[in-house]
Amino acid sequence: MKGKWLYIIDDEAIVRASIISLFQADGGWDHAEFANSDSFLAALDSLDPGCVLVDMQLPGSNGSVIVEALSHRTPSFPFVVVTGFSDFATAVSMFRLGAVDFLHKPVDPVALFDAVERALHRLRGDGQWQALVAHAQSRVAALTSEEDRSMALIFEGQSNADIASAMGVTPRDVQRARALALAKLDAPTIFDAMRVFALAGRL
């Protein structure tokens, strides 16, 4: 792999420019930008392997069309989903299709850079990627059965009351299990927890 290719698909030119500026400052990155799904998909067969940043809200075909196409090209085009609107079901679907991360706009530059670096490790299949997977697996394995099941039901979008009923516990028990699980996973949010589960092959 000669260089580090980054492909940005976003309909807002200012967003593409800010991302390009961020990674140019890091150095060593080549890039190509696309304003819609159709232009990227038309070029895909001619592109060098690289990391893809795909916005979900695009004119014409939305970003899910790109995600579906890229899911069949792993690990040559690891991708990070960026969106302004989402729910748990969408995030779970994207992770199951192979997303390295699922980020929300406005995107924190540090989180974006970290996600793309992880995508690069996945593309290379290097020791760092294997270490990330092993670390995620160890964190998930540290959960109790109650914490593990609670997270699975939360990922499905169920309410605390529904989860409590399904598990035969109180809503307060569910809140406690959630807080303990997030702490063990080192995940500030449920979306971060999804990423850990996805890395561990458990989503």
Side-chain angles (χ1 to χ4, degrees):
M1 186 173 158
K2 295 180 180 179
K4 299 187 294 185
W5 273 97
L6 181 64
Y7 302 106
I8 306 118
I9 306 104
D10 196 295
D11 61 321
E12 296 184 71
I14 190 170
V15 172
R16 300 195 304 270
S18 65
I19 292 172
I20 291 167
S21 177
L22 173 67
F23 285 91
Q24 282 181 332
D26 176 61
W29 289 90
D30 294 310
H31 70 271
E33 53 184 297
F34 303 87
N36 54 63
S37 297
D38 292 339
S39 61
F40 174 76
L41 293 174
L44 183 54
D45 287 338
S46 65
L47 300 178
D48 289 329
C51 308
V52 181
L53 287 179
V54 53
D55 185 13
M56 290 300 291
Q57 287 77 42
L58 294 168
S61 301
N62 64 30
S64 63
V65 175
I66 294 176
V67 168
E68 183 66 33
L70 295 178
S71 69
H72 301 296
R73 294 174 180 255
T74 302
S76 296
F77 292 93
F79 60 94
V80 175
V81 174
V82 179
T83 182
F85 306 94
S86 69
D87 53 27
F88 288 168
T90 300
V92 168
S93 175
M94 295 298 102
F95 278 120
R96 286 177 175 168
L97 285 169
V100 172
D101 213 335
F102 188 90
L103 303 176
H104 292 87
K105 290 183 174 181
V107 180
D108 175 68
V110 174
L112 179 61
F113 188 80
D114 180 63
V116 171
E117 281 292 299
R118 280 185 277 113
L120 180 62
H121 290 307
R122 183 176 187 180
L123 172 60
R124 291 174 170 171
D126 59 20
Q128 182 63 34
W129 176 253
Q130 300 305 321
L132 287 168
V133 171
H135 186 51
Q137 290 172 336
S138 68
R139 282 190 283 173
V140 173
L143 301 181
T144 66
S145 58
E146 180 182 63
E147 292 161 358
D148 193 304
R149 190 178 179 203
S150 292
M151 295 308 296
L153 294 173
I154 289 169
F155 294 161
E156 292 178 7
Q158 295 195 28
S159 68
N160 285 347
D162 289 338
I163 295 170
S165 178
M167 296 179 61
V169 297
T170 69
R172 180 170 292 181
D173 290 330
V174 174
Q175 292 176 337
R176 178 176 177 276
R178 170 178 172 159
L180 289 172
L182 291 178
K184 290 179 180 179
L185 295 169
D186 192 23
T189 71
I190 294 299
F191 292 104
D192 293 316
M194 285 182 188
R195 171 169 43 79
V196 178
F197 269 73
L199 261 174
R202 283 288 317 282
L203 197 57

